[in-house]
Amino acid sequence: MSSPSRTTLHEWQAVADHARATGRLTLRELFAAEPIRAERFSFEACGLFVDHSKQRLTEGTLPLLIRLAEACGLRERIEAMFTGERINTTEGRAVLHVALRAPRGETILVDGKDVVPEVHEVLDRMAAFCRRVRSGDWLGHTGKPIRNVVNIGIGGSDLGPVMAFTALRHYADRALTFRFVSNVDGTDFAEATRDLDPAETLFIVSSKTFTTQETLANAHTARAWLLTSLCDEAAVAKHFVAVSTNAVEVAAFGIDTATMFGFWDWVGGRYSMDSAIGLSTMLAIGPEEFHELLAGFHAMDEHFRAAPFEANLPALQGLITVWNATFLGAATIAVLPYDQYLARFPAYLQQLTMESNGKRVTLSGRVIDDYQTCPVFWGEPGTNGQHSFYQLIHQGTQLIPCDFIGFIESLNPLGQHHDLLMANCFAQAEALAFGKTAAEVRADGVPEELVPHKTFPGNRPSTMILARRLTPRLLGSLIALYEHAVFTAGVIWDINPFDQWGVELGKVLAKRIVPELESAEDPKLGHHDHSTAMLIRRYREARSG
Ligand code: G6Q
């Protein structure tokens, strides 16, 4: 029996009524009405200062959203997650990424067993391995130390490691070269390895299941690439390690399970960058800084679990996402980090947000046809984006709330650069919120025919996330902020943020098409629609011709 729609809750109707009643108020009016608005809507925890005052919120909005969260059982759902209940009901799994960063000595039970000691056992093995590689003690097959690390993985086994490496490059050992191969497109592997010496290269095959088509194809290619040069099967043991939950498949591939780093079915792929999937991150920044990263995650976990919703950063962020997407009709949210090190953060967040909450069925199986769920998340670092798509955010016809992320200190202070960067960050949020009226444009002496073109409507909401400095700890807190915001929004939308059935169908169809592309015969009539059959035929004919 499916449970009633969230829209039947009177707390939901109260938010909907409030959205209708306040929807016409502009940010100009809201700021004029309350001179201390920035104080009311600014929040701080775990080194993050979050200013929501440029969101379209009145004094009454957050209390109503919080009442909705309570009616949806957010508090109970948080406890269920933290205490290892199988809240990923469609896969029958607990959801315990929070256990990955629990300090030694804490207790988190899954089916009566404390998982924290196992987490630390793996972290300790990772640390010992990383120390050997980083110190030059781990030698390749020909006796040369490792200089290159190539992570092979895709989706959750790639996006987190790439993002973390990019974000924390400042802290990385520059003597090591890091590459990431994810795409089954051979170009990815070829370009990643073309200038590497196999004798100095370590492959980390990162795959929770160790059955993922792309990762296995790349891993087999890597193995062939290594053996072509080193000509001895025994070399595999020195140049391949695995990160997986599947020891049987790892052994079948030929990787010694002594150099396999495990994790557990209660870690979802997109929530795994702080598990052994973070091995490349630990190799880059070292075990101590990796523990700082975990400490940052943990600090936000504790804040999320304990803080009242009125001052709870992830809960508020998740509720404001729901407010914008579901009640104000925003179809997309832009994430705009003003830090080049966070260049891959939007891509990482795309998976975290959209693979988690991009769903249209409730936990009890009802098709959602009466409200919108997850918006599209996208973005690029500032100031680059300003010279490309910001035009649409300022003057287009769509409402696109933005998350700005900036730092007070640069990790690469160069002359005036950082002040220029942050001036742009603050200016964009200001311009989006307040725009420029036709009267103001005219006052600049602009000819009448250009006035509509040069007018900025404003009233475009944004959140500003500000921190002192991009450190491993800060990055951990920032990621956990979004992880828990995603969970919060999922609870309000009544969906399971932890499965991903929507990625399956395409995989199954691709498996069916592979032999058809490689066969000499036309695909069987009726096997595909006319368009797909034509494309397969055209590809085959052109290749063989
Ligand atoms: C993430 C998804 C997905 C997964 C990849 C790789 O939450 O489950 O992106 O991470 O499909 O899977 P493997 O790690 O099993 O290769």
Side-chain angles (χ1 to χ4, degrees):
M1 255 278 284
S2 59
S3 47
S5 170
R6 289 293 198 226
T7 59
T8 61
L9 292 171
H10 72 85
E11 289 85 355
W12 180 287
Q13 287 309 325
V15 177
D17 291 345
H18 175 73
R20 276 188 290 274
T22 62
R24 287 185 187 284
L25 288 173
T26 65
L27 285 166
R28 277 189 184 232
E29 289 163 340
L30 292 169
F31 271 85
E34 188 179 25
I36 58 148
R37 182 176 167 84
E39 267 165 52
R40 175 193 293 282
F41 290 111
S42 292
F43 306 87
E44 199 161 6
C46 311
L48 294 166
F49 177 80
V50 182
D51 174 9
H52 289 302
S53 64
K54 295 193 189 79
Q55 291 288 348
R56 280 155 61 168
L57 307 167
T58 70
E59 195 184 334
T61 314
L62 291 180
L64 287 171
L65 286 167
I66 289 168
R67 250 169 260 154
L68 174 60
E70 281 158 358
C72 294
L74 178 60
R75 184 59 70 198
E76 295 76 15
R77 304 285 297 156
I78 294 173
E79 273 317 290
M81 176 169 75
F82 276 80
T83 53
E85 265 184 49
R86 293 180 187 273
I87 62 169
N88 177 358
T89 47
T90 58
E91 295 182 317
R93 290 177 183 161
V95 176
L96 271 178
H97 40 280
V98 294
L100 298 171
R101 49 265 193 157
R104 228 180 272 275
E106 251 186 36
T107 303
I108 298 181
L109 301 177
V110 177
D111 298 333
K113 184 176 176 222
D114 183 7
V115 296
V116 179
E118 294 176 59
V119 166
H120 282 275
E121 195 238 330
V122 174
L123 284 170
D124 290 346
R125 286 183 52 233
M126 287 166 64
F129 174 72
C130 289
R131 288 199 180 97
R132 287 193 64 189
V133 173
R134 286 164 61 88
S135 68
D137 178 43
W138 180 280
L139 300 178
H141 185 63
T142 64
K144 287 184 172 180
I146 296 299
R147 292 265 166 266
N148 316 307
V149 176
V150 182
N151 186 74
I152 298 178
I154 196 164
S157 300
D158 168 69
L159 286 159
V162 176
M163 180 274 289
F165 172 69
T166 315
L168 299 177
R169 210 169 183 157
H170 180 77
Y171 303 87
D173 180 347
R174 304 292 179 144
L176 290 172
T177 295
F178 287 85
R179 302 276 162 82
F180 298 86
V181 176
S182 54
N183 200 333
V184 76
D185 182 346
T187 298
D188 206 9
F189 182 85
E191 287 294 341
T193 52
R194 58 180 300 129
D195 58 344
L196 303 186
D197 175 359
E200 297 182 335
T201 300
L202 175 76
F203 289 99
I204 305 173
V205 186
S206 296
S207 177
K208 180 175 169 181
T209 56
F210 228 79
T211 56
T212 304
Q213 186 190 54
E214 295 93 327
T215 299
L216 287 186
N218 278 318
H220 281 288
T221 298
R223 192 191 155 107
W225 177 83
L226 183 88
L227 294 180
T228 301
S229 167
L230 301 187
C231 306
D232 184 354
E233 280 283 334
V236 173
K238 294 284 179 194
H239 294 269
F240 277 81
V241 297
V243 176
S244 187
T245 57
N246 190 343
V248 174
E249 289 298 328
V250 168
F253 179 85
I255 298 178
D256 187 351
T257 47
T259 49
M260 167 180 150
F261 301 91
F263 58 115
W264 305 270
D265 78 346
W266 41 260
V267 183
R270 56 194 172 276
Y271 296 87
S272 68
M273 59 159 287
D274 48 342
S275 71
I277 290 289
L279 186 65
S280 59
T281 314
M282 194 191 271
L283 278 166
I285 64 174
E288 288 71 25
E289 294 290 12
F290 193 83
H291 277 278
E292 279 290 296
L293 177 75
L294 297 181
F297 272 102
H298 181 66
M300 188 59 78
D301 294 343
E302 293 211 298
H303 168 76
F304 181 51
R305 191 176 185 182
F309 293 150
E310 290 75 12
N312 189 311
L313 261 50
L316 292 171
Q317 179 126 339
L319 290 172
I320 290 171
T321 299
V322 174
W323 170 246
N324 282 325
T326 306
F327 293 98
L328 299 185
T332 84
I333 291 181
V335 180
L336 309 167
Y338 276 65
D339 190 305
Q340 195 59 31
Y341 284 125
L342 291 182
R344 298 295 292 164
F345 194 63
Y348 171 79
L349 274 192
Q350 286 192 315
Q351 185 192 24
L352 183 66
T353 55
M354 297 197 281
E355 200 168 58
S356 295
N357 283 337
K359 291 164 194 167
R360 56 176 240 307
V361 174
T362 65
L363 277 164
S364 61
R366 191 184 73 86
V367 173
I368 299 170
D369 54 7
D370 46 357
Y371 54 90
Q372 294 292 331
T373 64
C374 188
V376 171
F377 280 77
W378 58 286
E380 281 288 324
T383 57
N384 292 9
Q386 293 175 201
H387 298 263
S388 109
F389 54 79
Y390 278 39
Q391 164 65 39
L392 184 150
I393 309 182
H394 283 287
Q395 287 187 319
T397 51
Q398 302 190 39
L399 173 70
I400 304 185
C402 301
D403 284 358
F404 290 92
I405 304 170
F407 296 91
I408 290 166
E409 288 172 18
S410 171
L411 295 175
N412 296 291
L414 282 178
Q416 202 192 0
H417 283 252
H418 198 64
D419 291 343
L420 294 177
L421 176 73
M422 291 309 293
N424 273 281
C425 179
F426 297 149
Q428 290 297 326
E430 189 175 34
L432 286 168
F434 304 109
K436 190 166 183 178
T437 64
E440 287 166 341
V441 174
R442 277 190 198 99
D444 285 348
V446 169
E448 197 52 34
E449 67 275 17
L450 282 183
V451 167
H453 298 281
K454 293 197 153 197
T455 298
F456 288 72
N459 205 25
R460 314 222 156 190
S462 69
T463 285
M464 180 69 63
I465 301 176
L466 198 60
R468 174 163 285 280
R469 196 178 156 82
L470 178 56
T471 60
R473 179 181 284 256
L474 193 282
L475 182 70
S477 294
L478 181 66
I479 297 165
L481 167 69
Y482 278 95
E483 284 179 346
H484 298 318
V486 164
F487 178 61
T488 299
V491 169
I492 308 301
W493 289 321
D494 195 17
I495 55 187
N496 177 5
F498 303 112
D499 61 13
Q500 56 282 316
W501 299 107
V503 304
E504 295 301 326
L505 179 59
K507 287 189 202 172
V508 172
L509 297 188
K511 275 205 181 118
R512 196 169 74 174
I513 292 176
V514 172
E516 294 173 344
L517 293 182
E518 292 171 347
S519 139
E521 292 181 14
D522 268 359
K524 280 193 214 90
L525 269 182
H527 209 136
H528 294 288
D529 62 275
H530 191 221
S531 161
T532 310
M534 177 196 70
L535 294 168
I536 293 171
R537 191 171 308 119
R538 194 177 170 85
Y539 177 89
R540 275 204 357 255
E541 285 170 3
R543 272 229 317 188
S544 58

